[in-house]
Amino acid sequence: MFRSEYADVPLVELPIHEAVLGGAAAFGDQPALIDGTDGTTLSYAQVDRFHRRLAAALAEAGVRKGDVLALHSPNTIAFPTAFYAATRAGAVVTTAHPLATAEEFAGQLRDSTARWIITVSPLLATARRAAEIAGGVREIFLCDSAPGHRSLTALLASGAPEPLIDIDPARDVAVLPYSSGTTGTPKGVMLTHRQIATNLAQLEPAVPAGPGDRILAVLPFFHIYGLTALMNAPLRHGATVVVLPRFELETFLAAIENHRITGLYVAPPIVLALAKHPAVTRYDLSSLKYVISAAAPLDARLARACSERLGLPPIGQAYGMTELSPGTHVVPLGRLHDAPAGTVGTLFAGTEMRIVSLDDPGKDLGTGESGEILIRGPQVMKGYLGRPDATADMIDTDGWLHTGDVGHVDADGWLFVVDRVKELIKYKGFQVAPAELEALLLTHPGIADAAVIGTYDDDGNEVPHAFVVRHAAADGPAENDILLYVAERVAPYKRVRRITFIDTVPRAASGKILRRELRELT
């Protein structure tokens, strides 16, 4: 068993809004959130006051403890206020991908039994259609404005009393992001107030933050990585978060220059752009002190090229998953120069890890031996919503979460992730479940069978690659027809990027797809 070099941290027995904004009043007029495109700024005092007023308005509208509220928005400075207002009102927040189709969003609304939606006007048509399909949604609120819907600004005028909700941090769910786990379709991950708040405390010794730090939030808040690293963690310590709605290179670079960003939390595609795009040289990025990459594997050579070009310490990596609130490993900021190339870091405080044999899961492996990574600690999820069997498959009776990732630890405690047992595809940090795409492909009248795996494109991104058996190869659907069929029915990040036509999908006697054989064909 491997244990953290850091001392254990006490469990944070607070609702997440208190764990993050409990010290907001002390930071007063210091900037908490800045819109990276137009400069609109909210101070800590304003965020504190606004989220309390909004919580009162939500309670007045009928939001009750345990209700699920879907937060369906790109990054805006309103997103954190809406999130903390909802949890203060006692709601469970399920974060939704802004690029989800109406059908995909409806599936999440239905599965989570969401009764409320907060969205933005460009996404309103999708939210309305999803609410219509799912049923049960009482009202849709807007971060901005649109006819027929109440805006958050209008709700701030409510004179209702602030709700005093009795929240049990250990039991009550704060956030319900959706994850595919190691396989299958997306499932609601129940993360309690204590789990996500304690994970912030676990991160703090390795990645401290405070007033004067300026973090650029370009990765989405709806993703647990963004929610933790770009929203909860910096706001807990008085740092300033500069918010961008999406990654556009020139806007991103300009924000670093104009707002004197000190820290970046990114995914590998952004590291690639920083390392290679010619536009980078046109901007002053000298304020940067560090870059941390997570959500997908980062090539060590690419990391080195990026840090050398920017004149920064080596790029650090972090590791985790939604089911782990999400963090378990990070390269500490004070050890960026010490970390070996390719490592995802050392264990968070209060976290235990085992590496077990792939051939004999009951056998623990030692230093330098590769096996499946198992994690135990206070950040392990409560479970999958309404799916006790899937929860039991993920977390064993001793509390160990089986990540489905393969890795090894060196003599100094650095973890290296080298492969995956799980079938999940990570396209630019977003989860794509092969089973979901396979089920969709099989609805095409010209497809007899299909299997999907992840393969890598020329930029090192893992992409969905479909192996398709046509009913009649001679006059069956062409590659472009199939690509378009899928693209019209899923969010952009889920699109199939490659197709190989085959005669049969290799399967075991049980019917399980033999994905390893498909990989040998690529």
Side-chain angles (χ1 to χ4, degrees), residues 201-216:
Q202 292 176 292
L203 172 66
E204 186 177 342
V207 186
D213 289 324
R214 288 184 160 239
I215 306 301
L216 185 56

Side-chain angles (χ1 to χ4, degrees), residues 269-294:
I270 297 179
V271 178
L272 175 65
L274 289 171
K276 296 187 176 182
H277 201 284
V280 172
T281 60
R282 299 199 298 269
Y283 293 85
D284 177 7
L285 309 184
S286 61
S287 60
L288 286 176
K289 296 178 181 178
Y290 64 88
V291 177
I292 299 290
S293 177

